[in-house]
Amino acid sequence: GMMRSNEDHLTVELILHLFRNLLCAGEPLLKDADKAQSSTKLHQESITLFEKEMVLDILLVIGQEMESRENKQYNLLVMEILHHILKNQDPTLVARSVLENESKAPSNNRGNHARSYSSRSQGSQSASSGLKSKLQKERNRLYAANSSRHSHFGGTLVVQKKSGQQQFVAAGIQSSSNTIRSQADIKRKTKKHQHIIGSGRSMAAYSRPGAGNASSIYAGPTSHRAQCVLNSFCTKFLSQCYGPVMKSLKNEFRRESNRLEEEDKVIFFRIIWFFSQWWRVTMSESNCTKSQSMLKKSVGQLIFTMDVFTFNLVLVSGDFYLEHKKYKNLAQVVSLYTEMVRLLHVMYDSSDSTEQIMALGLMDRLFYQSEPIDRLPKLLSRWIPGTFTVEYLCDLVELIHMTLKLLDRNQKVCENVQEEGKKIKRRAKKDEEEVKDAVSRMKATAAEFDTVSYLARKIVSNQVVFMLTQLLSQYTSNATHINDHIICFFIRLCKFVVAKDDFYDADETGDLINTSKVTLEPMLFNINLMMVLNEILNDKSLRNSKEFEPMLNFASTLVKNFAKASEENPMLYVETLFRHPTPHRFCENFTNFYVSEELRMIAEREVLMEQQTEADGFESKQGSSLTSIRDDEDEEEEMEFVDDDEIISKGTGEKHDRDETDGKDDSLPNVQDGAESD
């Protein structure tokens, strides 16, 4: 590459432009379904032809040296070529194309399988061509029956209405125009009542296999061959070229180069999203150990787009598209953000300590800092019914599930690490102290983060419940994990306990304001969700299916709780018809039978006043009893004192009397003696 001349650079650039023009060639207006199908088939055949002619190998060679001075000028052109190669392709189907072959075909019969596959593909092509010709004949018959006699000499008649508007009436196509107009009127009438816009084809990652919502152009042998070619190309590109190409493109966006166009940012986001989802599906569904060992080496390549700059670029672009109502570009941003959060979870669970530290740093920037860059609450609050597609809602459901799961797990791990760190002291070198200080600081911040308040203040709302209800109504076509994630969120609401102050504790306030455990389950008692659950419970096709068993269990439990709550409070039948602006207060009032804060304070005051009066009466009674007791004790003491004096005086008198009697007694014998002597 160092010996290239200007002519060589011009030749390489012309060849790359030729590849780009061949891939993006097609009819600009594809009004007919047959034309769109033929254009898609031609594009898939061109991908297979590029693989045979080693065009994809040329891209791999240039991508490996994209950071060099000789090749960095081709980065945006290579990005456009990648975009046109991967457009209209489902990364999940691309990943599963080879996985299905590995699971079905034995290793010792690959040649026979290839021959049988080629014969089957030829037979299917001939059958499809015969069926296509029959369908075309039927269309021609219908067109001939409906067309007028002079349809080839059609003109246009301008009809002037009284309101001043002009109506154009075309000859020969009146019937078709009327059908188109009637379909447009039906669509216009139902748009207000259509909460989710159908995109015509759901992604394979968000739809059940065999649901019948995938287009037929992605299930034929031509598309299967193109998907196999793209799968091998993605494996090579991700392991060899992803890092250099993405670093070169990030430098262009970081410098805000004047070479960038308006749609280049969306193209860049789609390429990252495609490779991220393809890698995730391949890793989760692959059974071959060799392919897993090869893909584990490419994890480091994906981390090149898992930095703070890429997150900021994605989230700021999402804000711009949301403010300017570019909902198609916003859907691409949200799908990429969902895949990045999924990849962040993989990095958090990785055995590599470097990836774990990077995951902690990204989570700290997303959620834990004073000014987090998380956009999930904003995306949920700005959802508008009748504006976004099914894929957009599925991305939001995945984003809610992965975000809450990641926050809960990180908080528990950081709390356990802090408790162990207080007991055990470790010694470290000076170079490792700074890294450990930063990691310990991030873990301490994560341990203090309140996931419950994050869920209650930023995620939970009636609009989110309504959005998930509308998505759950399509349970037959949704993927199993989408239905499970919706049910998990509803169960989290049923178990979420609304925080209460100690002032309203039943043990302290008495029986007048006795309160019970308040959860957010009454939020689910709304008419929309009850109608969906009624349809689920009455669907006989779900009763023997293990995939829908969690959904059936939740539906039966919630309906039972609704019946029990309605017996206790019949006003629930009225409450289900309204959407309450403050769901937390509504749940608390409904659970406590509309005992509001004012009534609690009044009851609390009455209880305190009764307790005070009882205490005052008891103290007065106790005081009067004490005074009476004291008076009795004083009287008894006086009585006892008088008795003692009397006893003493009596004692002395008796003694004196005794003495006198004794003297008399002593004198009597003398008298007697004197008498005798006389």
Side-chain angles (χ1 to χ4, degrees):
M2 299 298 294
M3 301 300 295
R4 289 182 194 167
S5 60
N6 294 330
E7 296 180 357
D8 295 335
H9 282 294
L10 182 60
T11 303
V12 172
E13 190 171 358
L14 288 175
I15 292 174
L16 292 177
H17 275 91
L18 176 62
F19 295 157
R20 192 273 310 274
N21 295 335
L22 289 175
L23 289 170
C24 68
E27 296 186 9
L29 297 177
L30 299 176
K31 296 181 180 180
D32 193 2
D34 294 335
K35 292 181 179 179
Q37 185 174 0
S38 62
S39 177
T40 305
K41 185 177 180 181
L42 181 62
H43 180 265
Q44 293 172 349
E45 290 177 350
S46 64
I47 292 174
T48 308
L49 182 62
F50 278 10
E51 195 269 338
K52 292 180 181 179
E53 299 297 331
M54 302 181 67
V55 175
L56 301 181
D57 294 334
I58 295 174
L59 294 177
L60 294 175
V61 172
I62 296 176
Q64 291 177 5
E65 302 293 333
M66 186 58 68
E67 292 184 308
S68 63
R69 185 175 60 87
E70 299 294 329
N71 294 332
K72 64 180 181 181
Q73 57 183 341
Y74 309 135
N75 53 3
L76 296 178
L77 188 55
V78 171
M79 182 183 72
E80 291 184 8
I81 294 173
L82 288 175
H83 166 67
H84 290 294
I85 289 176
L86 303 176
K87 70 178 181 181
N88 298 326
Q89 296 292 337
D90 193 341
T92 303
L93 293 178
V94 171
R96 290 175 180 174
S97 61
V98 178
L99 299 178
E100 291 176 357
N101 292 337
E102 290 179 357
S103 60
K104 291 181 181 179
S107 59
N108 53 357
N109 294 328
R110 291 181 180 176
N112 297 330
H113 178 72
R115 287 192 294 271
S116 62
Y117 176 76
S118 61
S119 62
R120 286 198 303 269
S121 63
Q122 291 176 0
S124 61
Q125 285 179 356
S126 60
S128 62
S129 61
L131 180 61
K132 187 177 180 181
S133 61
K134 292 180 180 179
L135 292 174
Q136 189 64 33
K137 289 180 181 179
E138 292 179 358
R139 290 193 186 95
N140 293 333
R141 288 178 185 176
L142 292 174
Y143 181 75
N146 294 328
S147 61
S148 62
R149 178 179 178 182
H150 304 285
S151 60
H152 295 287
F153 306 96
T156 303
L157 177 64
V158 180
V159 179
Q160 192 75 22
K161 295 184 178 180
K162 295 181 180 180
S163 60
Q165 297 180 354
Q166 293 180 353
Q167 182 180 3
F168 297 93
V169 180
I173 56 173
Q174 186 175 1
S175 60
S176 61
S177 63
N178 291 331
T179 56
I180 294 172
R181 189 180 298 108
S182 62
Q183 292 177 359
D185 293 338
I186 293 172
K187 185 176 181 181
R188 190 180 300 111
K189 290 180 181 179
T190 59
K191 186 177 181 181
K192 295 181 181 179
H193 306 283
Q194 187 179 6
H195 301 290
I196 301 175
I197 296 178
S199 60
R201 181 183 66 88
S202 299
M203 302 297 293
Y206 295 146
S207 60
R208 291 180 62 244
N213 55 352
S215 181
S216 60
I217 59 177
Y218 296 92
T222 305
S223 62
H224 185 76
R225 287 194 295 268
Q227 289 168 2
C228 292
V229 170
L230 287 177
N231 187 78
S232 61
F233 172 74
C234 289
T235 305
K236 297 176 183 178
F237 185 86
L238 192 60
S239 60
Q240 301 174 7
C241 310
Y242 187 83
V245 172
M246 292 302 158
K247 285 195 291 184
S248 177
L249 293 175
K250 282 196 302 182
N251 291 331
E252 296 289 339
F253 289 104
R254 186 179 287 109
R255 293 186 294 106
E256 295 182 358
S257 175
N258 54 4
R259 299 169 57 208
L260 294 172
E261 297 180 358
E262 184 179 0
E263 296 296 327
D264 287 343
K265 194 176 292 184
V266 181
I267 293 172
F268 177 66
F269 293 158
R270 176 171 173 77
I271 292 173
I272 300 175
W273 165 79
F274 187 92
F275 282 101
S276 299
Q277 187 174 355
W278 173 85
W279 177 85
R280 178 177 56 82
V281 175
T282 306
M283 288 294 294
S284 61
E285 300 183 4
S286 178
N287 296 322
C288 183
T289 56
K290 292 183 179 180
S291 61
Q292 287 183 357
S293 62
M294 291 176 61
L295 289 169
K296 284 182 180 178
K297 296 180 181 179
S298 62
V299 176
Q301 300 290 329
L302 283 173
I303 292 178
F304 283 107
T305 52
M306 290 293 296
D307 54 349
V308 179
F309 172 77
T310 308
F311 271 98
N312 283 325
L313 184 64
V314 171
L315 297 176
V316 171
S317 301
D319 294 339
F320 177 79
Y321 296 143
L322 187 61
E323 294 297 330
H324 291 78
K325 298 182 180 180
K326 297 182 178 181
Y327 298 123
K328 185 178 180 180
N329 297 338
L330 178 63
Q332 183 62 62
V333 169
V334 172
S335 61
L336 174 58
Y337 183 50
T338 305
E339 292 297 329
M340 293 175 76
V341 173
R342 280 179 166 273
L343 190 58
L344 183 61
H345 191 274
V346 174
M347 292 170 59
Y348 185 81
D349 294 335
S350 177
S351 59
D352 190 0
S353 60
T354 304
E355 293 184 3
Q356 292 180 358
I357 293 174
M358 291 180 64
L360 287 174
L362 290 172
M363 291 177 63
D364 183 70
R365 186 69 184 91
L366 283 172
F367 307 107
Y368 302 140
Q369 288 190 1
S370 59
E371 295 181 358
I373 61 175
D374 180 32
R375 294 295 189 275
L376 177 59
K378 185 176 181 180
L379 293 173
L380 294 175
S381 62
R382 299 291 292 273
W383 178 76
I384 303 173
T387 306
F388 298 98
T389 60
V390 179
E391 290 82 4
Y392 182 82
L393 265 68
C394 293
D395 288 328
L396 289 181
V397 170
E398 288 287 325
L399 193 56
I400 293 171
H401 180 76
M402 297 305 298
T403 300
L404 296 178
K405 183 179 178 181
L406 196 60
L407 291 175
D408 290 337
R409 185 171 181 181
N410 189 36
Q411 186 178 6
K412 293 179 181 179
V413 170
C414 293
E415 287 177 354
N416 296 332
V417 169
Q418 275 193 341
E419 292 178 357
E420 294 177 357
K422 293 179 181 178
K423 298 178 181 179
I424 302 173
K425 294 182 179 180
R426 299 179 180 177
R427 296 180 180 179
K429 297 180 181 180
K430 293 182 179 180
D431 297 336
E432 298 177 356
E433 285 181 357
E434 296 181 357
V435 178
K436 289 187 176 181
D437 290 340
V439 174
S440 61
R441 179 187 60 80
M442 290 187 291
K443 289 182 178 180
T445 307
E448 296 175 357
F449 184 77
D450 192 2
T451 309
V452 176
S453 63
Y454 174 81
L455 174 65
R457 297 178 181 178
K458 297 184 178 181
I459 303 297
V460 175
S461 65
N462 287 317
Q463 185 176 2
V464 174
V465 174
F466 178 74
M467 179 186 71
L468 297 181
T469 302
Q470 297 301 320
L471 185 59
L472 186 63
S473 63
Q474 301 185 4
Y475 61 92
T476 55
S477 60
N478 292 336
T480 305
H481 67 278
I482 294 296
N483 294 330
D484 292 341
H485 292 344
I486 297 173
I487 298 303
C488 287
F489 184 79
F490 287 161
I491 293 174
R492 186 186 285 266
L493 293 183
C494 296
K495 294 182 178 180
F496 184 85
V497 180
V498 178
K500 297 187 298 181
D501 297 333
D502 296 335
F503 183 74
Y504 303 125
D505 194 0
D507 297 334
E508 298 181 359
T509 56
D511 296 332
L512 289 176
I513 53 171
N514 188 13
T515 58
S516 59
K517 182 180 178 182
V518 180
T519 63
L520 294 179
E521 187 179 12
M523 288 184 62
L524 305 181
F525 296 155
N526 58 80
I527 187 64
N528 297 310
L529 183 58
M530 288 300 159
M531 291 176 65
V532 174
L533 296 181
N534 182 33
E535 184 180 356
I536 292 172
L537 292 175
N538 292 325
D539 194 349
K540 297 181 180 179
S541 62
L542 308 182
R543 296 177 182 177
N544 297 325
S545 177
K546 293 183 179 180
E547 296 179 354
F548 297 98
E549 185 176 358
M551 186 170 60
L552 290 172
N553 293 334
F554 170 77
S556 60
T557 304
L558 190 65
V559 171
K560 289 178 183 178
N561 294 340
F562 176 80
K564 183 178 178 181
S566 61
E567 290 179 358
E568 297 176 356
N569 189 358
M571 283 295 295
L572 182 59
Y573 293 108
V574 181
E575 298 288 357
T576 55
L577 303 176
F578 299 97
R579 186 181 299 182
H580 302 277
T582 55
H584 300 78
R585 184 175 298 177
F586 161 71
C587 295
E588 187 175 357
N589 292 334
F590 175 79
T591 306
N592 296 325
F593 297 97
Y594 305 100
V595 178
S596 62
E597 184 178 353
E598 296 177 356
L599 294 177
R600 287 174 181 162
M601 294 183 68
I602 292 172
E604 175 70 15
R605 186 179 63 182
E606 292 179 355
V607 171
L608 291 176
M609 290 176 65
E610 290 179 359
Q611 292 177 356
Q612 186 67 28
T613 54
E614 291 177 358
D616 293 340
F618 180 75
E619 288 179 356
S620 62
K621 291 180 181 180
Q622 189 175 6
S624 62
S625 62
L626 288 174
T627 54
S628 62
I629 292 170
R630 288 177 182 176
D631 295 338
D632 295 338
E633 289 179 353
D634 293 339
E635 291 178 358
E636 289 178 357
E637 289 178 355
E638 291 178 358
M639 292 292 292
E640 290 176 356
F641 181 74
V642 172
D643 292 341
D644 291 341
D645 292 340
E646 290 179 355
I647 290 169
I648 292 169
S649 62
K650 289 180 180 180
T652 53
E654 289 177 355
K655 185 177 181 184
H656 181 66
D657 294 337
R658 250 194 256 102
D659 292 340
E660 289 180 354
T661 55
D662 290 340
K664 291 178 180 181
D665 292 337
D666 293 338
S667 63
L668 284 175
N670 294 329
V671 172
Q672 291 178 356
D673 291 340
E676 290 178 357
S677 64
D678 291 336

